[in-house]
Amino acid sequence: MIGAILGAIIIGIIIGALARLILPGRQNISIGLTIIVGVVAALIGSLIASVLGVADTRGIDWVEHLIQLLLAIVGVYAVTRLRGRSE
């Protein structure tokens, strides 16, 4: 259980950072919020991959990580847009 939580945090940090790098332009959100979006995307992406049956493969779970990255991109974009409206 602790390993899964730590794994989600580590993957979330990486996924969140990649999402910000992939999105064009400047994202006006904090690094902490980026990490939170990344962790949530990692958890939801793992759940979706489990439902689709692609979560546990031999080697690196590329499909699972791709799902997580796509969710993080959408999440960072959505948070950027929502924060832009509120300021």
Side-chain angles (χ1 to χ4, degrees):
M1 180 72 170
I2 302 258
I5 293 170
L6 287 175
I9 291 170
I10 292 169
I11 294 292
I13 291 169
I14 295 168
I15 295 291
L18 282 174
R20 281 188 74 159
L21 287 173
I22 290 171
L23 279 172
R26 178 170 156 77
Q27 293 81 38
N28 194 20
I29 62 174
S30 68
I31 195 71
L33 193 53
T34 302
I35 291 170
I36 291 170
V37 169
V39 170
V40 170
L43 292 171
I44 294 172
S46 292
L47 180 65
I48 291 171
S50 293
V51 169
L52 296 176
V54 295
D56 294 318
T57 60
R58 290 189 298 164
I60 299 173
D61 298 326
W62 292 111
V63 176
E64 180 179 9
H65 295 314
L66 181 63
I67 293 168
Q68 292 169 334
L69 180 59
L70 291 174
L71 288 172
I73 290 170
V74 170
V76 168
Y77 179 79
V79 169
T80 300
R81 293 291 163 231
L82 290 173
R83 291 195 42 96
R85 288 184 189 167
S86 65
E87 292 180 23

